[in-house]
Amino acid sequence: MLDMPNTQPPTATPEIFQDKSRRAAAKVVCDVGIFVGATSSYLDAYLPVAEQACGLKIYVSDTFGSLRIDTLELMHRFFRTWAAKADRSGYRMRNGTGIGPIAVHAEELMLPVCLNLSQLYDVPLHIVHVTRRSEIELIARAKERGLPVTCEVCPHHLFLSSEDLPRLGALGDMRPRLATPDDVAALWQHMPIV
């Protein structure tokens, strides 16, 4: 189970991270990873617990409060400081110790920005909640070119589309929004067969 930082307060400081970790350790009966979150108010406060977190989560699309990162200057800062931390401790995916990837909720035009920053700073990138053909095709192309990028799709985005909105009513109001049937088909087309 992976815990996201979009809580009140956001998981963006060592104190909040440690409190969440203690509460999880006391109650959970499965493996748990806790993300730290990039925020416009706490900035790099999470860096002391970067190696304990499963990764850094950056919200560059619809979200609330200080978690929404919407300037290129801040995006550069977070990718740069995460890469600098990795220069000292490594990446977990490469040697089993160190820090995890940067995970982004990046839709449409923000996706290529994140892919470019990942390449610029040599940071492994995980794209969460992919919903559109244009996004999955861009990710597939980046992987073909050797970028260290992974992604995931929520189950409801695989089985529901914008055509289901009249039937779903308020239950269909989600982020990312439900996409077209063509987008859903593209997600299935890019599903790896294991």
Side-chain angles (χ1 to χ4, degrees), residues 1-5 7-25 32-38 42 45-57 82 92 98-100:
M1 180 178 76
L2 297 176
D3 177 80
M4 293 299 162
T7 54
Q8 290 297 340
T11 313
T13 68
E15 298 77 25
I16 296 168
F17 180 88
Q18 297 297 351
D19 178 59
K20 192 178 269 193
S21 296
R22 277 191 299 277
R23 287 186 287 128
V32 173
I34 300 175
F35 276 95
V36 290
Y42 294 111
Y46 57 78
L47 282 172
V49 292
E51 291 179 52
Q52 298 165 38
C54 59
L56 172 63
K57 179 74 179 278
W82 198 253
R92 226 174 267 140
I99 63 174

Side-chain angles (χ1 to χ4, degrees), residues 26-27 61 71 73-74 86 95 104 110 142 146 167 169 181 192:
K27 295 182 180 182
S61 294
T71 70
E73 177 185 2
L74 279 177
N95 61 18
V104 294
M110 289 309 296
R167 176 178 57 84

Side-chain angles (χ1 to χ4, degrees), residues 89-191:
S89 59
Y91 284 111
R92 226 174 267 140
M93 64 187 285
R94 294 184 183 153
N95 61 18
T97 61
I99 63 174
I102 289 180
V104 294
H105 174 187
E107 298 176 51
E108 300 188 275
L109 289 175
M110 289 309 296
L111 179 56
V113 170
C114 292
L115 288 168
N116 281 321
L117 288 169
S118 168
Q119 185 174 19
L120 179 65
Y121 291 105
D122 193 26
V123 173
L125 185 66
H126 181 74
I127 314 298
V128 303
H129 318 323
V130 177
T131 58
R132 294 175 184 87
R133 174 179 292 279
S134 59
E135 296 164 354
I136 196 69
E137 289 178 350
L138 188 60
I139 293 165
R141 184 75 176 124
K143 289 180 75 67
E144 288 168 6
R145 291 178 158 243
L147 265 68
V149 61
T150 57
C151 68
E152 55 88 348
V153 176
C154 296
H156 50 278
H157 289 116
L158 288 170
F159 295 100
L160 299 171
S161 75
S162 55
E163 290 184 352
D164 294 298
L165 288 173
R167 176 178 57 84
L168 292 171
L171 294 175
D173 185 17
M174 60 190 75
R175 302 299 178 271
R177 297 184 187 281
L178 292 176
T180 69
D182 180 64
D183 292 316
V184 173
L187 296 178
W188 282 105
Q189 290 164 3
H190 286 85
M191 186 79 65

